[in-house]
Amino acid sequence: QVQLAESGGGLVQAGGSLRLSCAASGLTFDNYAMGWFRQAPGKERVFVAAITWSGGQTGYADSVKGRFTISRDNAKNTVYLQLNSLKPEDSAVYYCAAAQTLGIVTFTGRYDYWGQGTQVTVSS
C-alpha cells in the first residue's frame, strides 16, 4: 500500500519560511519523479515544483521560482519543499505526489499517488 505523508505546514508571517516534507512508503521511491502541488479554497490544484527520480532535474511554477526549492533524499524516501519569502497568496493546502516517469511532470493527471496534504497559511 503506497502512502505519501506530508508534514511541516503551519501558520507563518509574510516573508517567513517553512520546510515541507513528504515521506513515501510502499513504493520503490527512486523509480518515481516527485511533485508538489497546492490548492487554495475554491481554486484548482496547481503545480508548484517537481523533481526527477535522481534529483538531477527540477522544475518550478513561475509564481514560486526563486523562492521555493524542491529536493529529495532517496535514502530516506523523502521529498522536501523549502518555502522562502512567503506571501499571503502562497496560502493553500500543499500536496505531494509521485509519478512513475523519468522526467519532470507538471500535469496533475500524470501522477499516480497523492498525499493527504498539509496546510500552509501566510498572514500579512
Side-chain angles (χ1 to χ4, degrees), residues 5 13 16 22 30 35 40 46 49 53 62 68 70 72 76 78 87-88 93 96 101 103-104 107 116 118:
Q13 288 189 331
C22 172
D30 55 10
V46 296
W53 68 273
D62 288 342
F68 291 7
I70 189 171
R72 66 189 294 162
K76 295 182 178 180
T78 301
K87 305 175 183 179
V93 177
C96 73
T101 186
I104 295 293
F107 175 49
Q116 294 299 307
T118 186

Side-chain angles (χ1 to χ4, degrees), residues 9-114:
L11 174 63
V12 63
Q13 288 189 331
S17 298
L18 285 173
R19 189 194 196 202
L20 307 184
S21 299
C22 172
S25 60
L27 52 71
T28 304
F29 187 66
D30 55 10
N31 282 356
Y32 286 80
M34 299 297 294
W36 286 95
F37 291 74
R38 66 187 182 188
Q39 188 168 18
K43 296 190 176 181
E44 291 185 348
R45 190 173 299 188
V46 296
F47 170 74
V48 174
I51 189 167
T52 52
W53 68 273
S54 67
Q57 230 183 320
T58 58
Y60 298 92
D62 288 342
S63 59
V64 307
K65 210 170 286 186
R67 300 189 297 123
F68 291 7
T69 303
I70 189 171
S71 61
R72 66 189 294 162
D73 184 339
N74 286 351
K76 295 182 178 180
N77 285 7
T78 301
V79 62
Y80 305 97
L81 187 67
Q82 178 69 40
L83 291 67
N84 295 332
S85 302
L86 281 161
K87 305 175 183 179
E89 52 263 42
D90 294 318
S91 297
V93 177
Y94 282 70
Y95 298 90
C96 73
Q100 194 168 20
T101 186
L102 294 177
I104 295 293
V105 184
T106 64
F107 175 49
T108 56
R110 186 56 187 85
Y111 281 84
D112 302 297
Y113 302 105
W114 292 83

